Amino acid sequence: MDFADIFAFLKARLAQGQPCVLVTVCAVEGASMRNPGTLMGVARDGAFTGSLSGGCIENAVVAEALDALDHGAARIVRFGAGSPYLDIKLPCGGGLDVHFQPLHAGTPDAETPDADTLCTDRGVVDAALASIARRAPFALAHDGTQLRHIDDWRPPSPLAQGGRWSFGYWPAPRLQIVGHGAGVEALARLALETGCAVSVLTPDAALLADLEARAIPTQRLARIDQTQLLSSDAWTATIFLFHDHDWEIALMARALDMPHFYLGAMGGRRAHAFRSEALLARGVSAPAIAAIHAPIGLFHSSRDPHTLALSTLAEVIKAYQHTDFEAALG
């Protein structure tokens, strides 16, 4: 989920006239902390964002990136098992094939090979950020000669003959938090810190003011039937944090009918029984109700706001990581 920060870093440094390197893990042998498709950005001054390991190879990666800039050409380097860097070992014992793509600070070309690809240096970065901003899947691909942005998701294609590879990236998880109380603020702040997108719907005026001061997107719920305020996509988790469960029913019935990868609600078994009966009375199907995560969170009976936020976010991220979005989207 850190790829948004990486492309923002690259865009800012390129805009300053500083060449950069986009670093991509394009194959993994054996055990590894990070998967193929993991990214890192390195600037000419040695600053970087992202990581490829737990910190054991980052310095070597930066040195290799700067050398690639000096020579002005892309390269693939093995780290870990089978690497020419004999003094650099991965604790997990695996090996990484890492691609280094120099990015130059010139103006993006006006022309592209076709409507779905961009292959100029800054063009790739700008196109990736545009995909991220509109919450659209995209892919990066290298044909052995140039790096391209593809305006659609592609299944992982690790390093092949000729230096070809491609990796798709789904939008980051978005938490749509609907509720009131300190748990809403705690979850919104924690989710933002971990790179998730966040929006909040609440009738709590004091909470609205506090979240708006933190630049967290918010909307005021004035009535229990304002279902038009909900918005969602396949990468959205909708989370209900109401102590007064009468607020939930109309909103939850609508949320269940919208795209989402997770829907959860606070409250114990008695509260969920009330919720389930009310949703059935509104015509919501039993399978849809059964899919609600309630009680919410990986560890239940979380009563303080920060523990509830951690428990909930952990369950949401687990669901995101285990969702087959390619199959879900057909």
Side-chain angles (χ1 to χ4, degrees), residues 120-292:
T120 62
D121 289 350
R122 286 181 61 185
V124 169
V125 173
D126 290 344
L129 285 170
S131 293
I132 293 166
R134 66 176 186 273
R135 293 186 58 75
F138 69 97
L140 297 178
H142 204 284
D143 61 7
T145 302
Q146 62 186 8
L147 180 70
R148 297 184 299 141
H149 167 277
I150 301 172
D151 202 15
D152 196 4
W153 189 82
R154 293 287 187 273
S157 177
L159 185 64
Q161 187 175 5
R164 298 187 304 276
W165 53 262
S166 66
F167 298 104
Y169 299 89
W170 298 114
R174 170 177 172 256
L175 276 66
Q176 178 174 232
I177 308 169
V178 189
H180 51 216
V184 172
E185 180 184 2
L187 179 56
R189 293 175 62 182
L190 183 62
L192 282 176
E193 289 170 359
T194 57
C196 298
V198 176
S199 64
V200 174
L201 301 176
T202 181
D204 187 332
L207 178 60
L208 276 171
D210 186 59
L211 294 176
E212 287 172 354
R214 298 177 184 275
I216 295 174
T218 59
Q219 293 187 85
R220 181 175 179 269
L221 276 173
R223 304 187 313 276
I224 62 175
D225 62 348
Q226 287 182 290
T227 59
Q228 76 279 4
L229 297 181
L230 294 166
S231 63
S232 188
D233 58 28
W235 307 278
T236 294
T238 299
I239 297 156
F240 289 86
L241 298 180
F242 281 112
H243 296 282
D244 180 355
H245 298 291
D246 288 331
W247 271 99
E248 298 173 340
I249 305 307
L251 292 162
M252 190 176 293
R254 174 61 182 135
L256 285 166
D257 198 39
M258 301 173 75
H260 62 277
F261 72 89
Y262 174 99
L263 192 146
M266 185 172 67
R269 290 178 174 82
R270 182 178 299 177
H272 190 56
F274 161 79
R275 177 187 297 130
S276 299
E277 291 180 7
L279 289 170
L280 279 171
R282 294 185 68 93
V284 178
S285 71
I289 295 171
I292 298 170

Side-chain angles (χ1 to χ4, degrees), residues 23-40 51-58 60-61 64 75-85 88-100 158-159 167:
V23 182
T24 307
V25 175
C26 53
V28 171
E29 178 183 322
S32 172
M33 185 174 177
R34 304 300 298 269
N35 294 322
T38 298
L39 303 174
M40 181 171 161
S51 66
L52 306 189
S53 72
C56 48
I57 67 169
E58 272 67 20
V61 168
E64 195 71 42
R75 63 178 64 174
I76 296 169
V77 179
R78 164 63 68 104
F79 292 91
S83 171
Y85 290 98
I88 298 175
K89 305 291 186 183
L90 294 174
C92 51
L96 303 178
D97 289 316
V98 179
H99 184 270
F100 294 83
L159 185 64
F167 298 104

Side-chain angles (χ1 to χ4, degrees), residues 13 19 24 59 67 82 119 123 133 139 143-144 160 205 233 247 285 293 322 324:
R13 294 307 178 103
T24 307
N59 288 339
D67 193 59
C119 59
D143 61 7
D233 58 28
W247 271 99
S285 71
H293 294 260
H322 286 82
D324 184 347

